[in-house]
Structure formats: C-alpha cells, structure tokens
Amino acid sequence: CSADPCQATSNSNDDGSDGNFFCTNGGDVGGTTGACSCRDCDTGYGGQHCQSTAHSVNDMTGLFNKVSNTYGDGDHAENGGDDIIAEGEVVVLAIGEYKCAGGTCAGYDGSNSNMIATWGLHGEVKCTSDSGSCILDGENTNRGIYVYGTDGNTFTTRSITFKDGQAGSGGGIFATFSAIVDIRLCKFISCRATGLSTSQGGGAIYVVDSGTTLNIYGTSFEGNTANSGKGDDIYKTSTATMTIHKTCPSPYFSVVPAEGSALSTYGTVSGNSYSGCTITSAPTDAPSPSPTQLPTASSTAPTPAPTPAPPLSPTPAPTP
C-alpha cells in the first residue's frame, strides 16, 4: 500500500512524521507521510519548510559570489568570493548556462579550476525549474562544484545539469572531509576525470574520506569518462558512503523514475541512471531571466501546455 499524502497544518512542530506538516513562509505541502516538504514558498524563501532565505542569481559571477566561500591553503588555495549566503540558505539559479568564461569562478586547486567551491557550508543550490535547465558548463576545463565538509549538515544540488566538467578527479562534483551531499534531479553529461593514477577517477562524481556521504535521487548520467579507467561516472573510496536511490525526491514521491543503464563505478557502489521524476511543472522560487552572458532561445523553460477545456580549522584536502 502507498503512504498517505501530507496535510498542511498551523502547528510549527509538525514535521511530517505523521503526515501533518508546517510551512513557515507560505507554500503548499507536498509528499507523503514521513517525507513531506513545502513548495511554492513565499518570494524570497526556500527549504523543506520554506524556512530559509532564498537568493536569486542569473549569471556566473553572481552564483560564485553567493556560494563560494573557500579560501583553502597551499595547492588548494581558492578565490573565496563574497561568501554571501549564510548556513542553510538557498540559492536559486535562473534558467540558462553558467560558464567561467562569462564570469568569475572559484579559482584553482592544483591544475583545475572549480566553478563553485565551498568550505564547511551547507544549504541548497537549485534551478528555478525542475527541468534541469540550469547548466554548469565546465567548458572541458573546470570542475562543477568542490565541497569540502558541511559541518554535519547537508549541501544539496537540485535540477542542475553538470556539462563538460573536467578535473583530475570528479569533473562534476568532488566531495570530501565528511561532507554530506544530496544530489536531486540533476544530470551529468560528458564530464571527465583526467587523472591517471589509481587514486583518481570518477568522470562525474568523486567521493573521498570517512564520513563523506552522498545520496542521489532521480539523476541521470551520460557520456562521462575517466582516463584512469576507474569509474567513468562515479569513484567512491572505501571509507565514504553513497546511495543511489530508486525513488524520486519531494514533491514527486509518488512517481516511479525511469531506470536507465547501469553506471560505470569504482568502489563499493552500484546503481543506474534515473530520470522522469517530474510529472508536473516545478515550483518557482525566483524570477528566471536568462543569464546575461549566454541568453539563448534553447535555454528558456518550455512553455506549459494550455489547460484543456472541461467536457524538487580543517586539515588540507586530498589532491583531486
């Protein structure tokens, strides 16, 4: 039998465990008992209960300054950005492509540039639409996101397409130092790990260190490669934890995702590519103009069909 739909309440203590759920700043309740969330939050808010401040961005420089806070050390020195978002806040990307060539990025770790780099930060980076139409384009030069620890909380990426990301390991995402990362409704396309050593790989995702944990929902992988031959899609070290879920994230719990081909992985992890979670239009948390550096007709959101007439001080990091 299926779980009951969640119900909105006015009690701020309702966490959805019994199906009753509270949205702090407007929003409609979605999901099923035990897995509730709010959507269509009031403007300027996001998060599971609409409790977090939401920041809107529409170009790479804005995204970099909102999110990147890594200063690092030695070979992992980073351009730290403006460190604008606070812990637990949400950054909402306008639909379009984001490239370092069109704005500031987080700098170099070794020989590879990170588009975004975070140090002990948790929160959410999401597209304004659940269609995956917000594209981090690494231009076959840059890694998408480098996550160094999250202080015991979760850093979430939602409906982001990681395209042509490139690094020694993890061309799309590199997670380390006990980071906890949720990847929801994302796409990894043609990302590459260029490193050739036995400790390098994971064309799309590289996960390393004890306590580092990744959960992946409704996410697809296509055309990723690792020059080392160790995980074209994913590389996971033995001390890290990763789960590729066969279910869709909120608010699409009732949808059974379409299962694609088995992933190319290295380490004790296996799973498939998944897609098809979104059966309704995604909630809009921010205006969605195209980024100024790359406005294209193809990057705009699809027009909804008309309604028919009636009858989602740390130690240095390992070298990526």
mmCIF file of all heavy atoms in Angstrom, residues 269-314:
data_model
loop_
_atom_site.group_PDB
_atom_site.id
_atom_site.type_symbol
_atom_site.label_atom_id
_atom_site.label_comp_id
_atom_site.label_asym_id
_atom_site.label_seq_id
_atom_site.Cartn_x
_atom_site.Cartn_y
_atom_site.Cartn_z
ATOM 1 N N VAL A 269 29.952 0.682 -4.727
ATOM 2 C CA VAL A 269 28.712 1.380 -5.046
ATOM 3 C C VAL A 269 28.258 0.914 -6.417
ATOM 4 O O VAL A 269 29.059 0.641 -7.304
ATOM 5 C CB VAL A 269 28.910 2.919 -5.040
ATOM 6 C CG1 VAL A 269 29.959 3.334 -6.049
ATOM 7 C CG2 VAL A 269 27.593 3.636 -5.310
ATOM 8 N N SER A 270 26.967 0.767 -6.581
ATOM 9 C CA SER A 270 26.403 0.402 -7.872
ATOM 10 C C SER A 270 25.020 1.012 -7.987
ATOM 11 O O SER A 270 24.396 1.379 -6.988
ATOM 12 C CB SER A 270 26.313 -1.124 -8.027
ATOM 13 O OG SER A 270 25.438 -1.670 -7.064
ATOM 14 N N GLY A 271 24.559 1.150 -9.197
ATOM 15 C CA GLY A 271 23.230 1.704 -9.406
ATOM 16 C C GLY A 271 23.042 2.064 -10.859
ATOM 17 O O GLY A 271 23.891 1.792 -11.707
ATOM 18 N N ASN A 272 21.929 2.684 -11.134
ATOM 19 C CA ASN A 272 21.565 3.028 -12.501
ATOM 20 C C ASN A 272 21.329 4.521 -12.645
ATOM 21 O O ASN A 272 21.180 5.243 -11.662
ATOM 22 C CB ASN A 272 20.301 2.265 -12.924
ATOM 23 C CG ASN A 272 20.542 0.788 -13.065
ATOM 24 O OD1 ASN A 272 20.869 0.091 -12.097
ATOM 25 N ND2 ASN A 272 20.384 0.269 -14.267
ATOM 26 N N SER A 273 21.291 4.934 -13.881
ATOM 27 C CA SER A 273 20.868 6.284 -14.209
ATOM 28 C C SER A 273 19.349 6.331 -14.105
ATOM 29 O O SER A 273 18.656 5.386 -14.504
ATOM 30 C CB SER A 273 21.324 6.610 -15.634
ATOM 31 O OG SER A 273 20.970 7.913 -16.004
ATOM 32 N N TYR A 274 18.796 7.430 -13.548
ATOM 33 C CA TYR A 274 17.347 7.552 -13.396
ATOM 34 C C TYR A 274 16.874 8.905 -13.927
ATOM 35 O O TYR A 274 17.584 9.912 -13.841
ATOM 36 C CB TYR A 274 16.937 7.429 -11.929
ATOM 37 C CG TYR A 274 17.076 6.021 -11.393
ATOM 38 C CD1 TYR A 274 18.211 5.643 -10.683
ATOM 39 C CD2 TYR A 274 16.084 5.068 -11.612
ATOM 40 C CE1 TYR A 274 18.350 4.349 -10.196
ATOM 41 C CE2 TYR A 274 16.224 3.775 -11.129
ATOM 42 C CZ TYR A 274 17.346 3.423 -10.426
ATOM 43 O OH TYR A 274 17.488 2.135 -9.950
ATOM 44 N N SER A 275 15.669 8.923 -14.456
ATOM 45 C CA SER A 275 15.079 10.156 -14.968
ATOM 46 C C SER A 275 13.560 10.031 -14.890
ATOM 47 O O SER A 275 13.026 9.013 -14.460
ATOM 48 C CB SER A 275 15.519 10.397 -16.422
ATOM 49 O OG SER A 275 15.093 9.333 -17.260
ATOM 50 N N GLY A 276 12.869 11.083 -15.333
ATOM 51 C CA GLY A 276 11.416 11.019 -15.432
ATOM 52 C C GLY A 276 10.671 11.227 -14.138
ATOM 53 O O GLY A 276 9.512 10.836 -14.015
ATOM 54 N N CYS A 277 11.309 11.880 -13.136
ATOM 55 C CA CYS A 277 10.620 12.092 -11.859
ATOM 56 C C CYS A 277 9.572 13.192 -11.934
ATOM 57 O O CYS A 277 8.571 13.152 -11.225
ATOM 58 C CB CYS A 277 11.630 12.447 -10.767
ATOM 59 S SG CYS A 277 12.552 11.016 -10.123
ATOM 60 N N THR A 278 9.797 14.199 -12.761
ATOM 61 C CA THR A 278 8.937 15.382 -12.739
ATOM 62 C C THR A 278 7.734 15.192 -13.649
ATOM 63 O O THR A 278 7.856 15.186 -14.872
ATOM 64 C CB THR A 278 9.722 16.630 -13.171
ATOM 65 O OG1 THR A 278 10.307 16.379 -14.455
ATOM 66 C CG2 THR A 278 10.832 16.920 -12.183
ATOM 67 N N ILE A 279 6.580 15.086 -13.021
ATOM 68 C CA ILE A 279 5.349 14.904 -13.789
ATOM 69 C C ILE A 279 4.518 16.169 -13.826
ATOM 70 O O ILE A 279 3.529 16.252 -14.518
ATOM 71 C CB ILE A 279 4.490 13.763 -13.206
ATOM 72 C CG1 ILE A 279 4.181 14.021 -11.735
ATOM 73 C CG2 ILE A 279 5.164 12.424 -13.389
ATOM 74 C CD1 ILE A 279 3.174 13.061 -11.134
ATOM 75 N N THR A 280 4.928 17.174 -13.033
ATOM 76 C CA THR A 280 4.235 18.458 -13.026
ATOM 77 C C THR A 280 5.282 19.546 -13.142
ATOM 78 O O THR A 280 6.454 19.312 -12.956
ATOM 79 C CB THR A 280 3.433 18.667 -11.724
ATOM 80 O OG1 THR A 280 4.353 18.617 -10.615
ATOM 81 C CG2 THR A 280 2.376 17.596 -11.547
ATOM 82 N N SER A 281 4.838 20.764 -13.443
ATOM 83 C CA SER A 281 5.779 21.870 -13.512
ATOM 84 C C SER A 281 6.400 22.107 -12.150
ATOM 85 O O SER A 281 5.737 21.997 -11.125
ATOM 86 C CB SER A 281 5.062 23.140 -13.981
ATOM 87 O OG SER A 281 4.568 22.957 -15.289
ATOM 88 N N ALA A 282 7.681 22.454 -12.140
ATOM 89 C CA ALA A 282 8.383 22.687 -10.880
ATOM 90 C C ALA A 282 7.900 23.975 -10.246
ATOM 91 O O ALA A 282 7.526 24.924 -10.930
ATOM 92 C CB ALA A 282 9.880 22.776 -11.131
ATOM 93 N N PRO A 283 7.897 24.049 -8.901
ATOM 94 C CA PRO A 283 7.568 25.315 -8.246
ATOM 95 C C PRO A 283 8.603 26.373 -8.591
ATOM 96 O O PRO A 283 9.768 26.066 -8.775
ATOM 97 C CB PRO A 283 7.618 24.962 -6.753
ATOM 98 C CG PRO A 283 8.455 23.733 -6.673
ATOM 99 C CD PRO A 283 8.204 22.990 -7.946
ATOM 100 N N THR A 284 8.176 27.607 -8.675
ATOM 101 C CA THR A 284 9.086 28.709 -8.980
ATOM 102 C C THR A 284 9.381 29.481 -7.715
ATOM 103 O O THR A 284 8.478 30.016 -7.083
ATOM 104 C CB THR A 284 8.452 29.647 -10.026
ATOM 105 O OG1 THR A 284 8.212 28.890 -11.215
ATOM 106 C CG2 THR A 284 9.375 30.817 -10.335
ATOM 107 N N ASP A 285 10.655 29.544 -7.322
ATOM 108 C CA ASP A 285 11.054 30.243 -6.114
ATOM 109 C C ASP A 285 11.672 31.604 -6.414
ATOM 110 O O ASP A 285 11.973 32.360 -5.520
ATOM 111 C CB ASP A 285 12.091 29.414 -5.335
ATOM 112 C CG ASP A 285 11.482 28.126 -4.811
ATOM 113 O OD1 ASP A 285 10.502 28.223 -4.083
ATOM 114 O OD2 ASP A 285 11.986 27.056 -5.150
ATOM 115 N N ALA A 286 11.933 31.908 -7.689
ATOM 116 C CA ALA A 286 12.575 33.162 -8.036
ATOM 117 C C ALA A 286 12.300 33.472 -9.497
ATOM 118 O O ALA A 286 11.987 32.583 -10.272
ATOM 119 C CB ALA A 286 14.079 33.059 -7.805
ATOM 120 N N PRO A 287 12.426 34.752 -9.897
ATOM 121 C CA PRO A 287 12.302 35.080 -11.310
ATOM 122 C C PRO A 287 13.354 34.331 -12.103
ATOM 123 O O PRO A 287 14.419 34.017 -11.598
ATOM 124 C CB PRO A 287 12.564 36.599 -11.344
ATOM 125 C CG PRO A 287 12.355 37.060 -9.940
ATOM 126 C CD PRO A 287 12.699 35.905 -9.068
ATOM 127 N N SER A 288 13.088 34.053 -13.356
ATOM 128 C CA SER A 288 14.027 33.246 -14.126
ATOM 129 C C SER A 288 14.414 33.874 -15.462
ATOM 130 O O SER A 288 14.177 33.320 -16.507
ATOM 131 C CB SER A 288 13.447 31.853 -14.381
ATOM 132 O OG SER A 288 12.189 31.956 -14.993
ATOM 133 N N PRO A 289 15.025 35.093 -15.421
ATOM 134 C CA PRO A 289 15.583 35.607 -16.672
ATOM 135 C C PRO A 289 16.802 34.804 -17.059
ATOM 136 O O PRO A 289 17.469 34.234 -16.206
ATOM 137 C CB PRO A 289 15.977 37.050 -16.317
ATOM 138 C CG PRO A 289 16.230 36.988 -14.842
ATOM 139 C CD PRO A 289 15.240 35.989 -14.306
ATOM 140 N N SER A 290 17.127 34.768 -18.342
ATOM 141 C CA SER A 290 18.319 34.050 -18.775
ATOM 142 C C SER A 290 19.553 34.772 -18.281
ATOM 143 O O SER A 290 19.562 35.988 -18.166
ATOM 144 C CB SER A 290 18.364 33.951 -20.303
ATOM 145 O OG SER A 290 17.270 33.199 -20.761
ATOM 146 N N PRO A 291 20.651 34.043 -17.975
ATOM 147 C CA PRO A 291 21.898 34.710 -17.596
ATOM 148 C C PRO A 291 22.335 35.669 -18.699
ATOM 149 O O PRO A 291 22.203 35.379 -19.881
ATOM 150 C CB PRO A 291 22.884 33.541 -17.454
ATOM 151 C CG PRO A 291 22.017 32.348 -17.189
ATOM 152 C CD PRO A 291 20.750 32.594 -17.933
ATOM 153 N N THR A 292 22.881 36.825 -18.277
ATOM 154 C CA THR A 292 23.180 37.866 -19.251
ATOM 155 C C THR A 292 24.261 37.461 -20.221
ATOM 156 O O THR A 292 24.275 37.911 -21.362
ATOM 157 C CB THR A 292 23.608 39.142 -18.522
ATOM 158 O OG1 THR A 292 24.710 38.801 -17.655
ATOM 159 C CG2 THR A 292 22.475 39.690 -17.685
ATOM 160 N N GLN A 293 25.180 36.540 -19.790
ATOM 161 C CA GLN A 293 26.269 36.229 -20.690
ATOM 162 C C GLN A 293 25.891 35.261 -21.780
ATOM 163 O O GLN A 293 26.545 35.218 -22.810
ATOM 164 C CB GLN A 293 27.494 35.670 -19.921
ATOM 165 C CG GLN A 293 27.329 34.247 -19.400
ATOM 166 C CD GLN A 293 26.708 34.229 -18.025
ATOM 167 O OE1 GLN A 293 26.072 35.205 -17.634
ATOM 168 N NE2 GLN A 293 26.900 33.168 -17.271
ATOM 169 N N LEU A 294 24.869 34.473 -21.585
ATOM 170 C CA LEU A 294 24.542 33.472 -22.594
ATOM 171 C C LEU A 294 23.043 33.312 -22.761
ATOM 172 O O LEU A 294 22.491 32.262 -22.484
ATOM 173 C CB LEU A 294 25.168 32.115 -22.214
ATOM 174 C CG LEU A 294 26.673 32.006 -22.433
ATOM 175 C CD1 LEU A 294 27.203 30.766 -21.742
ATOM 176 C CD2 LEU A 294 26.981 31.936 -23.911
ATOM 177 N N PRO A 295 22.309 34.325 -23.150
ATOM 178 C CA PRO A 295 20.879 34.142 -23.377
ATOM 179 C C PRO A 295 20.656 33.427 -24.697
ATOM 180 O O PRO A 295 21.146 33.862 -25.728
ATOM 181 C CB PRO A 295 20.328 35.573 -23.414
ATOM 182 C CG PRO A 295 21.491 36.396 -23.881
ATOM 183 C CD PRO A 295 22.744 35.698 -23.416
ATOM 184 N N THR A 296 19.978 32.323 -24.648
ATOM 185 C CA THR A 296 19.655 31.603 -25.875
ATOM 186 C C THR A 296 18.226 31.148 -25.820
ATOM 187 O O THR A 296 17.680 30.881 -24.758
ATOM 188 C CB THR A 296 20.554 30.366 -26.064
ATOM 189 O OG1 THR A 296 20.314 29.460 -24.991
ATOM 190 C CG2 THR A 296 22.029 30.744 -26.096
ATOM 191 N N ALA A 297 17.668 31.022 -27.000
ATOM 192 C CA ALA A 297 16.277 30.560 -27.052
ATOM 193 C C ALA A 297 16.159 29.162 -26.509
ATOM 194 O O ALA A 297 15.175 28.793 -25.900
ATOM 195 C CB ALA A 297 15.767 30.616 -28.495
ATOM 196 N N SER A 298 17.210 28.342 -26.701
ATOM 197 C CA SER A 298 17.134 26.950 -26.278
ATOM 198 C C SER A 298 17.245 26.796 -24.789
ATOM 199 O O SER A 298 16.943 25.754 -24.248
ATOM 200 C CB SER A 298 18.251 26.131 -26.944
ATOM 201 O OG SER A 298 19.513 26.633 -26.549
ATOM 202 N N SER A 299 17.727 27.864 -24.060
ATOM 203 C CA SER A 299 17.920 27.725 -22.627
ATOM 204 C C SER A 299 16.725 28.168 -21.821
ATOM 205 O O SER A 299 16.729 28.134 -20.623
ATOM 206 C CB SER A 299 19.145 28.537 -22.188
ATOM 207 O OG SER A 299 18.887 29.913 -22.371
ATOM 208 N N THR A 300 15.670 28.650 -22.493
ATOM 209 C CA THR A 300 14.495 29.068 -21.757
ATOM 210 C C THR A 300 13.625 27.884 -21.417
ATOM 211 O O THR A 300 13.655 26.857 -22.063
ATOM 212 C CB THR A 300 13.679 30.085 -22.580
ATOM 213 O OG1 THR A 300 13.349 29.499 -23.817
ATOM 214 C CG2 THR A 300 14.482 31.370 -22.807
ATOM 215 N N ALA A 301 12.837 28.067 -20.366
ATOM 216 C CA ALA A 301 11.984 26.970 -19.927
ATOM 217 C C ALA A 301 10.903 26.712 -20.944
ATOM 218 O O ALA A 301 10.430 27.617 -21.634
ATOM 219 C CB ALA A 301 11.338 27.327 -18.591
ATOM 220 N N PRO A 302 10.480 25.455 -21.099
ATOM 221 C CA PRO A 302 9.395 25.152 -22.022
ATOM 222 C C PRO A 302 8.104 25.815 -21.593
ATOM 223 O O PRO A 302 7.834 25.946 -20.403
ATOM 224 C CB PRO A 302 9.282 23.618 -21.951
ATOM 225 C CG PRO A 302 9.904 23.260 -20.663
ATOM 226 C CD PRO A 302 10.970 24.289 -20.417
ATOM 227 N N THR A 303 7.310 26.257 -22.578
ATOM 228 C CA THR A 303 6.034 26.881 -22.269
ATOM 229 C C THR A 303 5.026 25.818 -21.866
ATOM 230 O O THR A 303 4.831 24.831 -22.579
ATOM 231 C CB THR A 303 5.502 27.636 -23.499
ATOM 232 O OG1 THR A 303 6.483 28.597 -23.896
ATOM 233 C CG2 THR A 303 4.183 28.315 -23.183
ATOM 234 N N PRO A 304 4.412 25.975 -20.673
ATOM 235 C CA PRO A 304 3.433 24.965 -20.250
ATOM 236 C C PRO A 304 2.311 24.836 -21.268
ATOM 237 O O PRO A 304 1.902 25.810 -21.904
ATOM 238 C CB PRO A 304 2.920 25.522 -18.927
ATOM 239 C CG PRO A 304 3.974 26.491 -18.479
ATOM 240 C CD PRO A 304 4.575 27.049 -19.721
ATOM 241 N N ALA A 305 1.833 23.626 -21.440
ATOM 242 C CA ALA A 305 0.732 23.388 -22.366
ATOM 243 C C ALA A 305 -0.523 24.077 -21.860
ATOM 244 O O ALA A 305 -0.741 24.182 -20.656
ATOM 245 C CB ALA A 305 0.480 21.889 -22.495
ATOM 246 N N PRO A 306 -1.372 24.596 -22.763
ATOM 247 C CA PRO A 306 -2.614 25.237 -22.309
ATOM 248 C C PRO A 306 -3.516 24.242 -21.612
ATOM 249 O O PRO A 306 -3.514 23.058 -21.908
ATOM 250 C CB PRO A 306 -3.231 25.740 -23.620
ATOM 251 C CG PRO A 306 -2.605 24.895 -24.696
ATOM 252 C CD PRO A 306 -1.236 24.565 -24.213
ATOM 253 N N THR A 307 -4.251 24.749 -20.646
ATOM 254 C CA THR A 307 -5.173 23.900 -19.911
ATOM 255 C C THR A 307 -6.345 23.513 -20.802
ATOM 256 O O THR A 307 -6.985 24.384 -21.405
ATOM 257 C CB THR A 307 -5.709 24.643 -18.677
ATOM 258 O OG1 THR A 307 -4.592 25.067 -17.894
ATOM 259 C CG2 THR A 307 -6.623 23.733 -17.871
ATOM 260 N N PRO A 308 -6.587 22.225 -20.969
ATOM 261 C CA PRO A 308 -7.699 21.831 -21.839
ATOM 262 C C PRO A 308 -9.045 22.275 -21.292
ATOM 263 O O PRO A 308 -9.212 22.414 -20.078
ATOM 264 C CB PRO A 308 -7.590 20.291 -21.867
ATOM 265 C CG PRO A 308 -6.751 19.935 -20.699
ATOM 266 C CD PRO A 308 -5.895 21.113 -20.384
ATOM 267 N N ALA A 309 -9.965 22.513 -22.211
ATOM 268 C CA ALA A 309 -11.311 22.911 -21.798
ATOM 269 C C ALA A 309 -11.984 21.758 -21.096
ATOM 270 O O ALA A 309 -11.703 20.608 -21.373
ATOM 271 C CB ALA A 309 -12.130 23.336 -23.035
ATOM 272 N N PRO A 310 -12.885 22.070 -20.174
ATOM 273 C CA PRO A 310 -13.585 20.984 -19.469
ATOM 274 C C PRO A 310 -14.469 20.210 -20.414
ATOM 275 O O PRO A 310 -14.849 20.735 -21.462
ATOM 276 C CB PRO A 310 -14.404 21.732 -18.408
ATOM 277 C CG PRO A 310 -14.421 23.157 -18.836
ATOM 278 C CD PRO A 310 -13.235 23.400 -19.678
ATOM 279 N N PRO A 311 -15.129 18.935 -20.212
ATOM 280 C CA PRO A 311 -16.027 18.139 -21.148
ATOM 281 C C PRO A 311 -17.220 18.751 -21.629
ATOM 282 O O PRO A 311 -17.673 19.669 -21.325
ATOM 283 C CB PRO A 311 -16.395 16.878 -20.423
ATOM 284 C CG PRO A 311 -15.626 16.863 -19.145
ATOM 285 C CD PRO A 311 -14.837 18.149 -19.074
ATOM 286 N N LEU A 312 9.124 20.093 -9.562
ATOM 287 C CA LEU A 312 12.144 19.480 -6.243
ATOM 288 C C LEU A 312 15.681 22.313 -3.829
ATOM 289 O O LEU A 312 15.816 22.800 -8.831
ATOM 290 C CB LEU A 312 12.550 18.887 -8.814
ATOM 291 C CG LEU A 312 14.705 18.185 -7.531
ATOM 292 C CD1 LEU A 312 16.150 16.234 -5.527
ATOM 293 C CD2 LEU A 312 13.705 18.136 -8.229
ATOM 294 N N SER A 313 39.379 24.537 12.195
ATOM 295 C CA SER A 313 40.300 24.752 11.092
ATOM 296 C C SER A 313 40.609 23.378 10.543
ATOM 297 O O SER A 313 41.292 22.624 11.110
ATOM 298 C CB SER A 313 41.539 25.498 11.550
ATOM 299 O OG SER A 313 42.703 25.289 10.782
ATOM 300 N N PRO A 314 39.970 23.135 9.309
ATOM 301 C CA PRO A 314 40.113 21.793 8.781
ATOM 302 C C PRO A 314 41.487 21.486 8.231
ATOM 303 O O PRO A 314 42.233 22.375 7.861
ATOM 304 C CB PRO A 314 39.079 21.827 7.650
ATOM 305 C CG PRO A 314 39.003 23.274 7.296
ATOM 306 C CD PRO A 314 39.202 24.029 8.580
#
